[in-house]
Every structure is written in C-alpha cells, then in structure tokens.
Amino acid sequence: MVKSKVISLKFVSESDEPVGYLMVETDDEKFARQTALRWGESKLDSPFARVELHQGVLNSPDLDPDIFNGVRVWELPF
C-alpha cells in the first residue's frame, strides 16, 4: 500500500514552547497550516500563539486518523 503524504506541524505558545503536534494529510504547506490552525482552535486544550512546520513532509503514520473538516489528521502524543 502506498502511503499518503502528511505535513507535520507544531503548535507553539507565546513563550516559544511547543504545546502540541499535528500531522495533516496534504502536500500543501499553506493548506496544512490553515487546517492545523482551525483544528487547534477547536481541539487543542493548551493555548497557542502560532503554528510552525515541525518535521515537514512525511509518509502518513500507521495510526488511525481523525477526520477534521474532511481532512485526515493525526494528533501526536505530546
């Protein structure tokens, strides 16, 4: 099975500390950031100041995704 591509992002607090990680199934960085921003605003418990690229483009993980706004996403353990 061919793995899909995901973009790995992190949520960063005002004090520059990472407060969460998300992978979004896309190869479009702008779309990934927009999706992560909306996901973080509705799902992330910790307040965050911005979304940054984390590990860039990767193969999708062998974990069951969540579907958020029609997009496959993976919240990574923090």
Side-chain angles (χ1 to χ4, degrees), residues 11-78:
F11 299 93
V12 183
S13 70
E14 290 283 352
S15 58
D16 289 334
E17 295 295 318
V19 293
Y21 298 95
L22 188 73
M23 289 181 172
V24 179
E25 185 180 52
T26 182
D27 60 3
D28 180 335
E29 186 180 327
K30 184 176 179 187
F31 176 78
R33 286 175 186 263
Q34 290 170 342
T35 300
L37 192 61
R38 288 195 299 269
W39 181 91
E41 287 168 349
S42 68
K43 305 275 189 187
L44 195 64
D45 293 334
S46 307
F48 66 96
R50 63 190 181 280
V51 175
E52 294 181 353
L53 207 55
H54 179 46
Q55 294 173 311
V57 179
L58 306 168
N59 288 326
S60 60
D62 292 325
L63 304 167
D64 289 335
D66 291 322
I67 305 295
F68 179 74
N69 288 356
V71 182
R72 288 168 24 124
V73 298
W74 293 262
E75 182 179 10
L76 301 179
F78 183 66

